[in-house]
Every structure is written in structure tokens, then in C-alpha cells.
Amino acid sequence: MAFSFPAFSYIIALIIDAFLIFFSIFHVIAFDELKTDYKNPIDQCNSLNPIVLPEYLLHLFINILFLLSGEWFSLIINLPLIVYHIYRYRNRPVMSGPGLYDPTSIMNADVLTVCQREGWIKLAFYLLSFFLYLYGMIVVLIAV
Amino acid sequence: MSRGFCVSLRRPNSGIQVMSNVPPYNSSSGPPNAPLGPYAFNQGPPSQFAGHIKQDANSNNPTNAPAFNNQANHYNQSANSSPAFNHPIAPPTLQAMQPPRTSYKQIPNQSPIGNLQNIPLSSASPNSLYNTNNLSYPVNQTRQINDNAPPLIASSQYQPINGPPMAIRPPVSQFQPAASFPPPQPQFPPGPMTSQSNQLPNQIVGPPRSNAMVPPINPPLCGPSIASSMGLPTSNVNGPSLPGPPSFPMSRPNEPPRNQMRGPPSLPMGPMQARPQNQPMSLDPQSQQTGFIGHTNNLSGPQSLPMPGQMGQQAMPPMGPPKNSMQSRYPQMPPSNIQRPPTQGMPPQAPQGMYPPMQNQVPGLTQQMGQLSVTQQGFDQLWGHEMVDLLQCKHILPEYPEEPAEIRLGPQFSDAPNCSPEIFRSTINKIPDTNSLLQKSRLPLGILIHPFKDLNHLPVIQCTTIVRCRACRTYINPFVYFIDAKRWKCNLCYRVNDLPEEFQYDPVSKSYGDPTRRPEIKSATIEFIAPSEYMLRPPQPAVYLFLLDVSQIARDSGYLQVVCENIKENLEQLPGDARTQIGFICYDAHIHYYLISDGLTRPKEMTVLDIDEIFLPSPESLLVNLGEHREMIRELLTLIPRRHSLPGVPASALGAALQAAYKLMAPTGGRITVFQTCLPNIGPGALQSREDPNARSSKDVAHLNPATDFYKRLALDCSGAQIAVDLFLLSSQYCDLATLSGMSKFSAGTVYHIPVFNASRSWQAAQLRNMLTRYLTRKIGFEAVMRVRCTRGIAIHTFHGNFFVRSTDLLSLPNVSPDAGFGMQLTIEESLSDLQQVCFQAALLYTSSKGERRIRVHTMALPIATTLTDVLHAADQQCIVGLLSKMAVDRCVTASMSEAKEALINVAIDVLSAHKLSQNLPAGPASSSLHAPLPLRLLPMYLLALLKTKALRTGTSTRLDERVAAMCDLKCHPLAQLIRLVYPDLYPIHSLAQHVHKEDEELVPDPPRLQLTSERINLNGAYLLDDGEIMIVYICNSVSPAFLSETFGVTAFSQLPDEATTLPRLENEGSAMLHSFIDKLNDDRPYPSNVLVLRDNSPSRTRFTERLVEDRLESAFSYYEFLQHVKSQVK
């Protein structure tokens, strides 16, 4: 049993991943509310936009840890999502503040479904990776 | 009466009272009679029932169809369990209920005809009985009502199955096609004939054919003879008279007798249902093939015909003249044996071999099918399922604009008033029943709406309660179903609602009674004066704020003088009441406020230097009451142009001025009018020039997206505060309209653009004056919202226009103007096949300028299409182009212009491919023709014209601002204007006197439209091209001197100026005629268009020639090339 840097990065990843799961749950709920007319798109965008960048950064941070600790498998699993995040943010609508969502275009049915699907897929991904990190942590910890 | 009848059934115990309404039936005795009702029903005058039946049929919710299935059982059940059900209501009811049952049972034993006649009846009876039972269970009501309905419809569908006898039954009036059903033999030929003659011009084709085939044999005779040969019971005779194969077309649902056609599949009855489907299957390969094809295309029927060996022999000769006409339309159609079999060959051959088992079981069905096949081709013609070979047809544009196709609803609503096509229009006049069908047709599905259009006749209603559906909040409308006098069923969500007492009161005749007499039911467009529940705050006053750019460029352009004078002239006409407020703010590098108050003798200017931190000095005297300070406002309007006449600062702080305006208006809401002449370059919202003048004609256009979201955010704030921002862009240089237009787009404003404006050019000043006069004096609605509701199963996908989308179906419109149009793309989320129609309701809630809260409601109902051919032939090409133009603009912004243009071309290709598929035309490039359905024949031309509009053209030098302004126009013009913009009208004016028609004793010139190609331009002609913005008069050099002297007062062509902006008014007939023609054209647009006169050798003649969109322009297809391109791509 050895407490090494990889073990440390897995532990941190576990904790951060829990946050990410919460973010994506929030995301899914928010878009569901939009779809069912519970909320005004302006308010909803105001609450969604501030958490976009933190989510991306947290995710990036985990991967930097993996990179440093040489956990290549976990890193490769996460790479596509990083690329997607960068792509998504580069193609965001013109806006002055941080964030992705524009209240004038978000009610478009296409945008709405894409965002909702994105939320679900991310939720699933974070959940799966949570178990992966758990497994990875145990493997690292019990490795001699 | 019929309604009263219902009531009596429902409440047996109170029946006596109610029944007094129903003298004929019930007069003998109360309760016991009730159950007999249905029976009596049949015998009664059919006309009376018709209404009743219709109604119930409406209320039918096909989803409940299963109820029908059990019809008999159901009935028994209710009877059996009646004790439980009926408990409180007293024994009489119970007994009353039983008799009908017995009678029902007995009926089958009676003579077949009578028997069958009763079927509809029986279907009605279970309902009523069921209701009786349920009286004690109000909870079930809705369900029960649904249950009721199905039997009725089903019964109608049922009838066909019982073929012959049914036909005898007094024709169920609601089903037109029913008439074409196999009536008993003697009537056979006449039946179809008459039915067709009612509807269509060419009816001869179907039935006559059979006649033609067997001239000597009397139609009635042929029936029986066949029958005998087939050894079928006589009652079936009709059926066989129609040959087997022809009957397949039956499977094609788009037959006119829609209801029937759809009937079989939807029939709840197990065995019945199975048959129609099975039959084709069980037939020989030939039939199978047809059946199969039938799903995808209608031609299947005839097509399959050639297969059997007989084909060759029969060949052409037998075909009568009518047939030829058909063939010309469907060239691939082989000479069909359809005609033959009925008369001669048929019986011994195929049909007998394969059918017998089937036929015995379902005699009626085959008859029905056969009958349909005969009439089908006739219907094809009658229904306008015609096509046009685009490559052959050169003069494709109708000379006079065509009326949009009439919407034909199902029989129940055939005379219900539908919304005017000018207000509400759908790209497809029959909604495809499933999404896959829509995808197959490749047409865009959407609606265009012009909700606040100026109307001459608008019923306005003031009542204490506005009747709306409790579930979906739909307003009551002409397409709801009345279940009885007290309840109605929503046509959007199918919930059953109570009808308030007062709704039965007819304000016109001042009596109680039939709710259908109410104006809400009689008009699809109606306005309510809303009670106080519809207000979140007291109705706002009319508030107008003008933001005037006074920077150096603005002063140079001289627009201030024009605008201020115009406002002064129209001060009295500004819509509003005693509370109307008005204010002015000028801005250059600073913000200039003008204070007006009782304490001041003349307006006082205050200049705020700090444009980064906006504040308002004494807000209460910046926006002032118009009535109280009229004189001082007039003075101010005289002062402003004078005050800013000296050279000023070359800077414009538009952003800061807008923020100030927002602060000033936020408490009340209202309208901000911005006059901008240059790029805002300092303060918040400052922009930089992005246009590269060298790239004006480049292939791909950049910078269509906003550079900053400042104006958009501001617009959203304004929208929240019920403020709309209208922008008049009178630029002389690049102003980045792509960014600035955000302020109007999201606050429901309008963008007006006059490029390179200078007031010293009189025509531009005149244009601005015309625009402004209309703008200032037109109707206006404040703090408006518009909600568009659709029948369940259809959802709005995207909105187009200027507004902010607040939720999935709610548009927030701080101001609504009569010149604003909107578009909506729709998606079909659930199958609609069990519905009879789809409804759309747009409700616009607004505060009028008089401070009244009003709701304007438009309702449109559309039938449903189940086949591809039906869908394609119900398309509305103008509306499609309208919607596509909006979609293309969106695509330009989100993707790129080249992608948008490609998408437009693909629409033409896809639609024509779909048509090819539907008609099963020969595939591949082998064929030399390009067929389009008649209603879509102009689509390729419109699309080509759209590709060449200012908004979407590439290759021709176009200023970015002009392009963006054209895009804004495409997004928010109402359809009529938009089509004119895309495909301008071209009229010959050298021969006006030849095309006149009388109107109120006056001669009105009415020349035919010409296609936009130089082929139609004669050297000795003069033409007027009208695109809604400008009318270009184009004079060719060999025009007759008489025309020149009449119109222009010159004797020779060379004396005409290169370019003129007025037409002289001369004292002669020709000139008067031309002016009256121009006035007539100007009638139907918001403000009169400018006139521009060009010679065919003027340097600027390209302004005319570039609008000849069917010609080849640099790097753009000509119409013929475009068609060739499309043809090569069509699969």
C-alpha cells in the first residue's frame, strides 16, 4: 500500500467529479425547466452561464493531474470531452460575459434539444468516470 | 332540435321537460321514448340528423375508436350493468334502456336494408345510453364523451363496408364521397357521376369510362350480369362490376372520400380492419405489388395494371377520350385494363380465381374499392393532382396573381370560416399525418402569420368572461365541437369544457339558444376587449421617445429637417389618448436632453458630457404629456434642426443615448425611435468598421453576425420593460447594421434603411417622409404578447421575425405594428393520423393606444393528408418561399451564405425528387422532362429569384448594410410584400389601354404580369417593375412617340433624362391611366413606393436589368440553367 501522486490525483478527481455530476444535473434540470416553460430564458441563462467555465476548468484540472501522474488511460478517456469543450466555447454566440447560452437563441427547438442531450450525455459520462476513478484509486492504492 | 334530443337522452328523469324541445320524436311519451330515440332517429328526416351526426362526429376522438369495436358489447354491458349504473335515476330509465337493446338486436333480423340503415343509429344510441348511465358518474364525463364520439365516426366508416345497403340509406350528408359509393346497381352509374359533378369539372373520366367501354350495355345492366357470372349474391353486385385490379387504388388513402378511405384502417373492428389490409396481400403478385406501391405513390393502381397478359391486347383502342386526357398527365400509365374488366374480360379471369373467398366475406368492400378505382382518376384531375413539365412550360407565371388555394376541411367544418390567408398561411394546406411523411415530401412545414394586419371588418366583443379551454387556454373558435348546449370540446387539446350560460345568449337576436350563433363561432378572426384579469398593471399610456443623431454626418445629410417637420405634421395623428407622452433626445459625442415643463417658457436643452455613466436630469420633464405641451413641442421641433445646423462633432454615442432612453422609459414602456446616420464610435456600444469594400462581391460574406452583444442585451432589457426600439438607418457609410439591428430584432421593433441618404435628393426625402408618415400614424399595440397554440402533436420549432421568445410558444412583443409579419417552423412530434384536422390559434394580447387591453385571436384549421401526393399537391409555393427565405437568412448567420444558398437549391431538388417518387416517374436522366406538381410549379423560379435578392446574392457588389437590411426585411415582412420583394411584378405599360376592366364605373388598368426575363422586354415597349420598395419605369428606345408624349410630354426618346424620379402628371388619358395604375399598386402597401424612370441606355439601367432574375447574371444561373441543374440532381 503506497500513497503516491497517482493516488492523490485519483482522490482529487473523485471529489471534483462529484461536483461535475452536480453541475450536469443542474444543467439537465435547467433545460427541462425551459422546455416546460417554468422559467424565463433570460433568468435561466443568467444562472447557467456562470457555471460553464468553472465546469470546464475543473474538468481540465483533473486531466492535468492525470497527465502529471502519468495516468494515460484516464487521460485518453477524457480527451474527447476536453476537445469538445474547447470547440464548444470557441463557437459560442457573441456575448460579452462568460458562458455559452444566449437567451435569444436558446428557445430554438434545435438548440434546446442539443443542450439537453449534451446534459444527459455528460451526466452519464461523469457518473461512469466516477466509478473509473474509484477503481483507479483502489488499484493505485493497493499496488505494491 | 337534435341537441335537445341529446339532452333528453342524457337525463331520462327530466326528460319530459327537455323533450318539449323535440316535438316530433318525443311527443308521444317521455322517458320510454328516449331509448327509442335512435331508432326514431333514423326514420326522421335525414336533414335533421345530419347536423346532429356531424356534430358528434366532430367530437369524435379517434383514439377512442375501440369503443366502436365493442359497440354491441358495450351496449350490452351497459344494459346489463345498468342496475348499478342507473340506481338513483329510477327504474323507468332502466327499462327504457332495455327496449332499445332488444330493438337493436332485432334489427339485424329485419330486412337487410332497414337493418343497415340502423347502424348509424345504433352507433348513436350507445352513446346516449352510455351517457345516461354516466349521469351518476360525472367524473367519467370526459372519457365518456370521447367514447361517444368514435362510434359515430366509425359508423360512417362502417357503412362502406356494408356497401350496398348503406348506399341506399339516405346519403349521410356529411360524407360527400359517400355518394360515390356503390349505390345499388340501378344507381351505379349515376351515383358517381353526380357526386363528381358536384365537386369537379372533369368528372367524366371515372364513371363514363365504364360506359364508354360498354356503350350498348346499360350501366345498371352490367352490374347484375357480372354478378351473376361471379355467382355472388345480388346484393354485392356493384362490387364486382368493378374489376379486381382497379380496386387496389383503394389502398391509396388520398382518395376524395377521405373519411371512408381512412375508415377501414382506423376501424376498431378486428375482422373488418384486417380485411382491407389483407386483401391486397392475398391477391396475386400483381396486386401485391400495387398494394405495396400504393403506400409510397398513388399511381400504383394504374401502374400495376399493365402486368397481366391481357394488357397487350387491350392497348389503346378501348380508351375513351377522357382517358387520353389522363394519360397525357401520367404518361407512363399504360392503357389500363381497368375499363375493360368491368364490362367484359374481368369476371371470368383473375377476380374470380382469387377473390371469391374474400368477396364472399366482404362483398361491400370490393364493391367500394372498385367503385373508387373508377372514379379515382377523375378525382385526380378534379383534385388538381396535375403536374407541369417545367422544361416545356415557358410561360409559367400566371398573368394575374392567383388566389391562395382554398382550404377544404372535412365535412363537419366545410363551411366553417377559416382564417384569411393574408393573416394566417401554412406552407402545406394539408398537414402530413406523420413526421416521416413530412420528411418524405421534403417540404418545410411552417406557418406565416400577420397578426396585427389592418382589417376592415373585425368583430370586436366585450364580455365579462372570455370562453377558453380550461386545460390549454385556447379561445373558443369556429372549430370547436359542441357536445351539447352546455359543453364544448376544445379542438386543440380535446378537453371538454363547460359553456357559460351567457354564451348561449345571442347578442344579435337577444335570445338564448344555439351557441353557434355567437360571433366567436362565426368568425375565425376576432378581437376581445379583455377584462381586468388580463392586465398585470394598468394599461400603459402611449409613450414615444425620439433619439436623433446630430453628429457631423447627420448634419450633413440634412435628415433632421425632414424628420422634425414630419413629426410636427403628424403630431395630431400620433395614436394615443389623453395620457400620451413624448420626448426627444439628441446625441453626438454627448447627450442632449430637452426639458419641457410648465415652469419653462421655451424648451431647455441640457447636455450631459459624461457618456459612460448615464444619468437623467429631471426625468419628469423629459417625457411630457403631448396634449398639455403641444405648442412647446412644436417649438422644440422647429428648434432642433436649427440648433444643430452648424458643423458638429464627428462622433456618435448611440449606446449611451440608448441607455439614457431605456432609463427614461423603463417605468412606463413605449416606443423608442432611433435615427442613426453613422457608425456609433464612442461610449458604450462603440463599434468599428468591419466592412471591406473590396469584398463586396466576394463569394462568401463575412460579418453578418453582430460584433458585440451590447445592443442585443439592451434590447432584452427594453423588452423586459415593454419598450420597443425602431431603427431608421439613414447611413451614408457603413454603420454595421448587423450589430445595430439587434436593438430592434429582440425588442420587436423594425429596421428601416435608406442607403446613402441625403435630404437634398428629393426622392430620398420623399421616401423618408412616406415612411415616417406611415410609421407615426399607423396603429400600434403596446406591451403585447403573442401565443401560438397548435393541436397536440405539433410543436413550434423555430420562430422568425422580430421579438423575444419568452417560452416555447410565447413571443414577447413590446410593440406590435400592423406591418410586422412572423413565421414559425413546425415539427410533427406525434402521429396525427387519428385526427381529422389540425388547428392553429394565434392570440395577440396588447394594449391599444387608447389604453384598452385587447386580445386578437386568429384560428386556422387544416385538414390532414395521408399520402405523399396529397401533401405535395397541397403545398403553397408562396408561403414556402416566405418561410424558406427566413430560414435561409438564419442559416447565413449561423453557418455561411454559401451553405444557405446550397440549402435553397437543395429544396428544389428534394421536392422535385419527392414528386418524382410519388408519381413513380421514370428515374434517371433518361427522361427529358422535369415534372413538378401544379401547385409547386413556381417554386424553382421563386427560389432562383430568392438566390438573386440583395440579401443572398453573391458576385454582385452589395453593401453589407444593404444586405443586412434586406435580410431584416425577409425576416419580418408579411408574405405579400416579401414575395414582391423576391419576385417583383413586371407590367407592360405601353399598352395600358388594352387591359382595363371596369370597377365602379371607372376604368382601371389591369395589365398582365410578365415573367422577369429580357425575352419579354420588347424594344418598342415601356415597362414598370414593382418590388414594393421602388417602381422602376423602364423605357425602351423604340417606344412609340405617342406614348412618350402622352406620358412624359417629350417627343423623342433622346429627350428623356438618364434617370428621373417622378412621372409628370399630364392632362391626357394615357398619363391619367398610368397614374391611376400606379396608385392602384400603391394601395396595398404600407407607404407608396418611389418611382424611378430609366431609359434602356441609361448608365444605371442595371438597376432594372439586375432584377430580371430569370436571365443569366454574372456567376448566377439563368432560370433554364437552374432547371437543368435541378434536373441533373433530381433522383
Side-chain angles (χ1 to χ4, degrees), chain B residues 900-923:
Chain B
K901 299 182 76 159
E902 205 167 301
L904 282 179
I905 298 176
N906 284 337
V907 169
I909 295 171
D910 289 345
V911 168
L912 295 182
S913 304
H915 177 249
K916 208 165 187 178
L917 182 73
S918 81
Q919 297 294 339
N920 211 17
L921 298 178

Side-chain angles (χ1 to χ4, degrees), chain B residues 877-878 880-889 892 897 900-901 903-905 907 938-954 963 966-967 970-971 978-979 981-984 1012 1107 1109 1122:
Chain B
Q877 52 198 1
Q878 296 204 337
I880 290 173
V881 172
L883 189 69
L884 284 176
S885 64
K886 294 169 200 289
M887 290 161 65
V889 170
C892 286
M897 179 151 302
K901 299 182 76 159
L904 282 179
I905 298 176
V907 169
L938 298 180
L939 185 68
M941 194 169 76
Y942 281 140
L943 287 176
L944 177 67
L946 186 58
L947 291 173
K948 294 184 179 182
T949 53
K950 238 180 225 172
L952 297 175
R953 70 186 179 190
T954 48
R963 189 187 291 280
M967 287 182 169
L970 289 183
K971 282 283 259 184
L978 193 145
I979 288 292
L981 204 61
V982 169
Y983 195 88
L1012 293 174
R1107 309 308 302 271
V1109 293
F1122 183 69

